Amino acid sequence: MRYKAILFDMDGTVLDTLRDLNAAANTALAEFGFPAMSLDETRRRVGNGSRRLLELSLPEGTPDDILDRILAWYLPYYNAHANDTTAPYPGIAELLAALKAAGTPLAVVSNKPDRTVKELAAIHFPGLLEIAVGENEAGGVRRKPWPDTLLTAAAALGVEPGDCLYVGDSEVDVLTAGRAGMDCASVLWGFRSREELEQAGAKLFFNTPEELEGFILKRKD
């Protein structure tokens, strides 16, 4: 097997989090008198962290102090409701179990807050992941597209970045993998279209977890 560790994005890759993200963001927006966004608008805006999601959902020119207040309200609310409807995509648990059985170290890396990433990983994938890493800028771990979260996960697994495969569903994942010196596998069941991923430079595409499993376990040097 070519890769010594597999790192997975969370939203749109291993977990379908869209409805909980949409509901929490709309609740926060309503709390401050702003209109709601559609599910499809949320789909297009997620992937760059909570602040960016809210920023894209507010009218252009909204002052930063208003955004800061909404974000401060949103973060604890979303953490409390992050698992209301969230669930793994079909075939993901089986994929992780197969890779784990093959002796492959696994991690989840996300732009979600670190606490939420760890909690969701423990709930949905107990015993399958060696580590879960989220954004923790206060601790010096910047969100994607900075490579910090991927490099943190690789170091924790004791694997060189070039020996890792990063699996994601967005243009941010493609860019981050490149900056970290990792190959990127782009999945097509998530929040972005193939066309959007191709425009970002994606080269490896997978329609199902079963296809991805075959690629990882059967590819030779």
Side-chain angles (χ1 to χ4, degrees):
M1 186 166 61
R2 174 177 177 179
Y3 301 105
K4 296 181 180 178
I6 312 297
L7 314 182
F8 291 88
D9 171 52
M10 179 168 273
D11 298 273
T13 301
V14 295
L15 291 180
D16 185 353
T17 57
L18 187 61
R19 285 170 176 77
D20 285 337
L21 286 165
N22 176 258
N26 282 340
T27 302
L29 291 170
E31 182 73 15
F32 289 84
F34 292 99
M37 57 178 161
S38 69
L39 201 63
D40 191 57
E41 286 173 327
T42 304
R43 182 191 306 276
R44 297 196 303 269
R45 293 167 180 171
V46 296
N48 289 280
S50 301
R51 184 182 183 86
R52 184 60 174 161
L53 170 63
L54 293 172
E55 183 180 21
L56 291 171
S57 306
L58 291 168
E60 187 175 351
T62 299
D64 283 346
D65 65 312
I66 300 296
L67 174 58
D68 291 341
R69 289 170 57 198
I70 298 174
L71 180 64
W73 194 96
Y74 167 83
L75 288 174
Y77 182 88
Y78 175 65
N79 191 69
H81 295 273
N83 200 43
D84 287 356
T85 65
T86 285
Y89 286 100
I92 289 296
E94 293 81 0
L95 166 65
L96 297 181
L99 297 177
K100 181 79 170 178
T104 308
L106 305 175
V108 162
V109 178
S110 174
N111 268 346
K112 285 184 180 297
D114 190 64
R115 173 186 171 186
T116 307
V117 173
K118 287 177 167 54
E119 289 179 354
L120 288 175
I123 290 169
H124 292 287
F125 309 115
L128 294 175
L129 303 169
E130 275 68 34
I131 187 171
V133 178
E135 177 273 322
N136 180 19
E137 296 205 4
V141 180
R142 297 168 295 182
R143 62 179 175 84
K144 299 177 290 182
W146 295 101
D148 301 24
T149 48
L150 272 65
L151 297 177
T152 296
L157 296 175
V159 177
E160 291 296 320
D163 291 325
C164 298
L165 176 69
Y166 187 47
V167 181
D169 73 306
S170 75
E171 68 283 357
V172 177
D173 296 320
V174 176
L175 178 58
T176 308
R179 289 181 171 181
M182 300 179 185
D183 288 348
C184 185
S186 296
V187 304
L188 299 177
W189 58 79
F191 298 162
R192 300 291 192 272
S193 68
R194 180 173 182 134
E195 290 73 23
E196 289 172 304
L197 293 167
E198 286 176 338
Q199 290 174 5
K203 303 297 183 185
L204 291 171
F205 299 95
F206 297 91
N207 291 293
T208 66
E210 292 77 15
E211 285 184 10
L212 180 60
E213 178 185 332
F215 171 78
I216 293 171
L217 294 181
K218 294 179 182 177
R219 183 170 184 175
K220 302 297 183 181
D221 289 323

